Amino acid sequence: MPNPFFMNSYLGKQILSLVREGDFAHAGEEEAIALALAPVRQDPDQLILDAGCGRGGTAAYMQAKGWGRVTGIDIEPNSIAYATQTYPEPTFLRCDISALAALDEGPFDVITLFNVFYALPDHEAALLSLAGRAAAAARLVIFDYVDPGHYQDDPLMDGDIAFLPNPVRLDGLGEIMEGAGWKLETIDDLEADYVRWYVALVAKIEAKREEIVALAGEGIYEHVLSLYAGLLGALREGRVGGALIYARMSGG
Ligand SMILES: C[S@@+](CC[C@H](N)C(=O)[O-])C[C@H]1O[C@@H](n2cnc3c(N)ncnc32)[C@H](O)[C@@H]1O
């Protein structure tokens, strides 16, 4: 196994794309995007920021389905290079979510994060940075893993590093959002959907064994399977959950 291998690396996302048969590294693939964006109006002229866009499949899907003109940003340069080459319609830029002041694009009417928030060490700093690039009545859509309360007592690990480092704590989220200029509107519980999506994902990993081994080797195949089987177990036990969180710019 290359050292270090971790799921948020370029190779990790490449494996997930192969398994998911699309450039998505979030639970539920296209079904999840349609679910998350159901309350968001489709307007080809509105500006959308897909923060932590990965390989660009989500940004391309949103733009192709008429939700708006999408800019995808990600901290990881190989994913941005791949997205730029593969999907000509959206704009893709390398940028850290906590340093969005450096971005010329925007202000954005809609900001989406699909399984990204859990990877950010400081949620308040990220929300502040996102608020800085948001239009007056901007909508924030966070699709992510949640910590029902005691996740950090026994976090899921990917070797020496946390697999899901910082799932969203829903208690106190409203206050953190308010401090960063957002007004928390609704939270939809997706626990049952996450279990269903990860049952399907684990089955797909097993079905794609040969292709994953050809791409990354036997050791990584076993590692990826055990990570997602572990995540499914944690979802079933209620140690971790999933949610859709909607907020608006305060005063918008
Ligand atoms: C699980 S992947 C999800 C990718 C994409 N949203 C999707 O659904 O396919 C998480 C992504 O967040 C990106 N990321 C993590 N921390 C980031 C940060 N501080 N700024 C920008 N992107 C970040 C990672 O590089 C990775 O592409």
Side-chain angles (χ1 to χ4, degrees):
M1 196 186 306
N3 193 10
F5 169 81
F6 58 102
M7 281 315 301
N8 257 340
S9 64
Y10 183 68
L11 180 58
K13 281 179 276 189
Q14 212 178 352
I15 294 169
L16 285 181
S17 291
L18 192 162
V19 171
R20 293 188 151 122
E21 296 173 352
D23 286 318
F24 307 116
H26 65 254
E29 299 99 29
E30 291 178 0
E31 182 192 344
I33 307 172
L35 184 70
L37 295 186
V40 176
R41 100 193 130 86
Q42 281 161 300
D43 173 356
D45 292 327
Q46 72 183 342
L47 299 187
I48 302 181
L49 175 67
D50 188 34
C53 63
R55 287 161 63 92
T58 305
Y61 181 90
M62 290 194 283
Q63 183 143 336
K65 298 283 177 189
W67 263 287
R69 279 192 284 141
V70 185
T71 299
I73 62 115
D74 202 285
I75 199 168
E76 198 262 299
N78 291 334
S79 291
I80 289 299
Y82 172 89
T84 305
Q85 215 172 21
T86 311
Y87 301 107
E89 295 300 327
T91 301
F92 293 103
L93 298 164
R94 187 185 176 203
C95 187
D96 185 331
I97 287 170
S98 59
L100 287 169
L103 203 68
D104 289 333
E105 278 68 13
F108 296 98
D109 305 296
V110 180
I111 299 179
T112 58
L113 295 96
F114 283 88
N115 284 160
V116 176
F117 220 56
Y118 79 91
L120 305 175
D122 184 340
H123 289 164
E124 191 166 6
L127 288 165
L128 264 172
S129 180
L130 291 165
R133 300 310 304 144
R139 210 161 183 179
L140 177 66
V141 181
I142 299 175
F143 170 92
D144 225 312
Y145 305 100
V146 299
D147 172 359
H150 297 286
Y151 171 80
Q152 295 298 355
D153 297 344
D154 186 15
L156 290 164
M157 298 300 290
D158 181 358
D160 290 342
I161 60 168
F163 180 32
L164 304 184
N166 200 14
V168 189
R169 285 289 299 252
L170 298 179
D171 53 327
L173 181 63
E175 250 173 76
I176 293 175
M177 286 211 166
E178 209 175 306
W182 296 99
K183 185 177 181 330
L184 178 60
E185 291 193 320
T186 51
I187 299 175
D188 297 342
D189 182 4
L190 298 185
E191 195 183 323
D193 300 280
Y194 265 67
V195 169
R196 175 170 59 83
W197 288 327
Y198 280 100
V199 166
L201 188 77
V202 168
K204 281 191 203 170
I205 292 170
E206 287 170 331
K208 299 257 180 189
R209 181 183 180 284
E210 272 181 40
E211 287 160 80
I212 299 171
V213 170
L215 174 70
E218 182 73 39
I220 288 186
Y221 167 77
E222 293 297 341
H223 182 72
V224 170
L225 180 61
S226 82
L227 278 177
Y228 285 96
L231 173 51
L232 174 57
L235 285 161
R236 280 181 160 146
E237 287 162 12
R239 274 166 61 207
V240 67
L244 249 173
I245 299 160
Y246 296 96
R248 274 210 193 259
M249 276 309 280
S250 300

